[in-house]
């Protein structure tokens, strides 16, 4: 199978590459974080206004309803504008990162050894250059900005809740162990499951490509049943991989959904007990309950996009694994690596100098035609034999 030829990067390599690529643009990242933080602060001012409104009504203070409504509308409008530009800044950063990812992957694919490409076949390489690249593009464009927004909003909301009342923060901690245990269980199994799913898609692509390219040979040799059995086996393996990841999600989602409801209910119950005991005010209970309700959106968004991040992480591991293929070609000779000196043939031995003097003709050579005074210069003619020097 092709999955054993083209390797897959490990977790440490994927994390190091993602960290390096993210920190390569510190200015764009800082600007996006700043906008998301300001948008979260603008959204937190509305529950605070509602809490103050409830307390003023409780004590019978005069309330300027149009002014409060205008202030709430202004904060919501400001939040919408800040969110719009924050998402735009995150999208621009994601497009830069995605462009660099594509360029580096193309360079890696073009640098693969030809022998490895021929042994791997077309299935795995086509799947990595098409499905994995699309999955990573979706992760960079959508999952990463949405996760960034959710993290910033969640942290700032927790900070605002602590400022309202540290006591009302205690009910929020009830859902922490449930979400932590369920998410840790899911993350420990999701990466391997999605890697098997991508490998199964590669097997399907490879089998179909081989069948299409060799259609004439399949018809001539009567291999239709064999190719159909190969396709059915690949589809069965892909279905099993999809069912495994679906089982992970159906187990993980109910647990985290339960963790969303517990903080709101606990904030109301425990906040009511604290209010009757005189430890907190009604405005604090109202604001804390609204903050607990407001925490559901970023937490749900974060946990929802974690699944997409796992898909993108598996695709990135497959794309980065191309760099782990060893090179089997001889490097070109350059100025830094000159060619070895050529072996030169030994010089020919010097010719023997001609002998001066008379040379006796041998065999059938006529006199004077082979040797002549004062030195032997004439070769024999018509097959006549001559002396050693003339020969």
């Amino acid at each position: 199978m092709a999955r054993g030829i083209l390797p897959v990067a490990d977790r440490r390599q994927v994390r190091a590459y993602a960290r390096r690529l993210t920190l390569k643009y510190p200015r764009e990242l800082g600007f996006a974080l700043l906008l998301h933080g300001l948008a979260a602060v603008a959204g937190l001012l509305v529950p605070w206004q509602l809490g103050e409104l409830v307390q003023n009504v409780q004590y019978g203070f005069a309330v300027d309803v149009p002014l409060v409504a205008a202030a709430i509308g202004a904060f919501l409008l400001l939040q919408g504008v800040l969110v719009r530009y924050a998402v735009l800044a995150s999208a621009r950063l994601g497009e830069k990162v995605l462009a660099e990812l594509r360029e580096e992957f193309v360079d890696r694919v073009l640098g693969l050894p030809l022998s490895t490409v021929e042994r791997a076949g077309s299935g795995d390489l086509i799947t990595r250059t098409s499905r994995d690249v699309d999955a990573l593009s979706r992760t960079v464009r959508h999952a990463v900005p949405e996760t960034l927004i959710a993290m910033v909003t969640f942290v700032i909301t927790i900070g605002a809740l602590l400022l309202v009342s540290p006591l009302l923060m205690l009910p929020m901690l009830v859902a922490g162990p449930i979400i932590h245990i369920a998410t840790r269980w899911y993350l420990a199994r999701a990466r391997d499951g999605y890697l098997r799913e991508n490998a199964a898609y590669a097997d399907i692509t490879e089998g179909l490509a081989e069948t299409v390219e060799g259609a004439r040979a399949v018809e001539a040799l009567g291999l239709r049943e064999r190719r159909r059995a190969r396709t059915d086996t690949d589809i069965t393996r892909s279905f099993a991989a999809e069912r495994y990841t679906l089982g992970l999600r159906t187990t993980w989602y109910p647990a985290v959904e339960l963790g969303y409801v517990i903080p709101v209910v606990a904030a109301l119950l425990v906040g009511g007990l604290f209010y009757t005991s005189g430890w907190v005010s009604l405005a604090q209970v109202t604001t804390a309950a609204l903050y607990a309700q407001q925490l559901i959106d970023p937490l749900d968004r974060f946990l929802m996009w974690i699944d997409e991040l796992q898909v993108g992480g598996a695709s990135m591991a497959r794309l980065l694994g191309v760099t782990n293929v060893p090179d089997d070609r001889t490097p070109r000779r350059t100025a830094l690596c000159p060619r070895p000196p050529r072996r030169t043939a030994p010089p020919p031995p010097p010719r023997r100098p001609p002998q001066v003097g008379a040379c006796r003709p041998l065999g059938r050579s006529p006199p004077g035609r082979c040797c002549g005074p004062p030195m032997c210069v004439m070769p024999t003619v018509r097959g006549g034999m001559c002396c050693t020097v003339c020969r």
Side-chain angles (χ1 to χ4, degrees):
M1 293 294 178
R3 70 180 67 144
I5 295 177
L6 294 180
V8 177
D10 55 3
R11 296 175 184 268
R12 184 178 60 180
Q13 186 177 357
V14 172
R15 290 173 182 173
Y17 182 80
R19 187 183 304 110
R20 179 183 65 82
L21 200 61
T22 304
L23 297 179
K24 190 174 182 179
Y25 304 98
R27 183 175 301 176
E28 291 84 352
L29 180 61
F31 182 67
L33 289 175
L34 177 62
L35 290 178
H36 288 307
L38 293 176
V41 171
L44 293 176
L45 294 176
V46 176
W48 176 74
Q49 286 283 340
L50 293 176
E52 292 294 328
L53 177 63
V54 171
Q55 187 172 5
N56 291 333
V57 172
Q58 177 191 7
Y59 290 108
F61 297 152
V63 177
D64 191 352
V65 178
L67 180 60
V68 174
I72 292 176
F75 288 135
L76 291 177
L77 180 62
L78 178 61
Q79 182 185 14
V81 173
L82 290 174
V83 167
R84 189 261 182 191
Y85 285 103
V87 172
L88 180 61
S90 300
R92 289 178 177 175
L93 177 60
E95 290 296 331
K96 286 185 179 181
V97 173
L98 182 60
E100 187 166 351
L101 280 172
R102 286 177 173 174
E103 292 177 358
E104 291 186 4
F105 177 68
V106 170
D107 293 339
R108 293 189 185 98
V109 170
L110 295 179
L112 281 175
L114 296 179
S115 59
T116 303
V117 175
E118 293 174 356
R119 288 196 308 268
S122 57
D124 195 14
L125 195 57
I126 289 176
T127 305
R128 297 194 184 205
T129 55
S130 58
R131 188 175 185 274
D132 290 334
V133 171
D134 291 340
L136 188 59
S137 301
R138 187 169 58 254
T139 301
V140 173
R141 286 173 176 169
H142 303 289
V144 173
E146 291 291 336
T147 305
L148 190 64
I149 295 171
M151 291 177 61
V152 174
T153 306
F154 181 80
V155 172
I156 293 179
T157 305
I158 291 295
L161 186 57
L162 288 174
L163 291 177
V164 170
S165 176
L167 291 176
L168 295 176
M169 183 63 193
L170 297 177
M172 309 298 173
L173 301 179
V174 178
I178 300 175
I179 297 177
H180 174 72
I181 294 173
T183 305
R184 187 174 182 180
W185 175 86
Y186 170 77
L187 294 179
R189 295 163 176 80
R191 182 179 183 271
D192 296 334
Y194 285 117
L195 286 177
R196 285 195 298 269
E197 184 178 319
N198 292 338
Y201 277 115
D203 291 339
I204 293 177
T205 306
E206 181 179 359
L208 293 177
E210 291 175 354
T211 303
V212 172
E213 292 175 359
R216 295 182 179 179
V218 171
E219 288 290 336
L221 300 177
L223 302 177
R224 288 177 294 181
E225 295 298 329
R226 182 182 300 180
R227 300 307 303 175
R228 186 180 292 111
R230 160 72 188 276
T231 304
D232 292 340
T233 303
D234 293 339
I235 293 175
T236 302
R237 187 181 297 112
S238 176
F239 175 76
E242 289 273 6
R243 188 173 182 179
Y244 175 76
T245 56
L246 179 61
L248 293 179
R249 292 191 296 271
T250 53
T251 305
W252 178 56
Y253 282 154
V256 297
E257 288 289 341
L258 180 63
Y260 299 159
V261 181
I262 292 178
V264 180
V265 177
L268 290 175
L269 293 178
V270 178
L273 293 177
F274 288 168
Y275 173 71
T276 56
S277 301
W279 295 347
V280 294
S281 63
L282 184 59
Q284 291 175 326
V285 175
T286 305
T287 306
L290 292 175
Y291 282 165
Q293 179 66 31
Q294 202 167 355
L295 278 175
I296 295 178
D297 179 65
L299 188 60
D300 180 67
R301 188 183 304 174
F302 176 74
L303 294 177
M304 180 183 65
W305 286 107
I306 276 185
D307 182 68
E308 190 67 31
L309 289 176
Q310 295 302 306
V311 176
S315 299
M316 182 179 288
R318 287 168 55 83
L319 296 180
L320 292 179
V322 178
T323 59
N324 297 332
V325 177
D327 194 2
D328 62 346
R329 294 173 293 183
T330 304
R332 296 180 178 179
R333 305 290 180 180
T334 59
L336 300 178
C337 184
R339 293 186 176 184
R342 294 182 178 180
R343 295 183 179 180
T344 56
R351 294 183 177 182
R352 299 173 60 181
Q355 297 181 2
V356 180
C359 181
R360 304 172 75 182
L362 299 177
R364 293 174 295 177
S365 299
R369 296 291 297 173
C370 175
C371 302
M375 62 179 59
C376 179
V377 294
M378 298 295 295
T380 180
V381 295
R382 295 185 180 181
M385 297 182 65
C386 189
C387 64
T388 307
V389 177
C390 296
R391 231 186 294 168

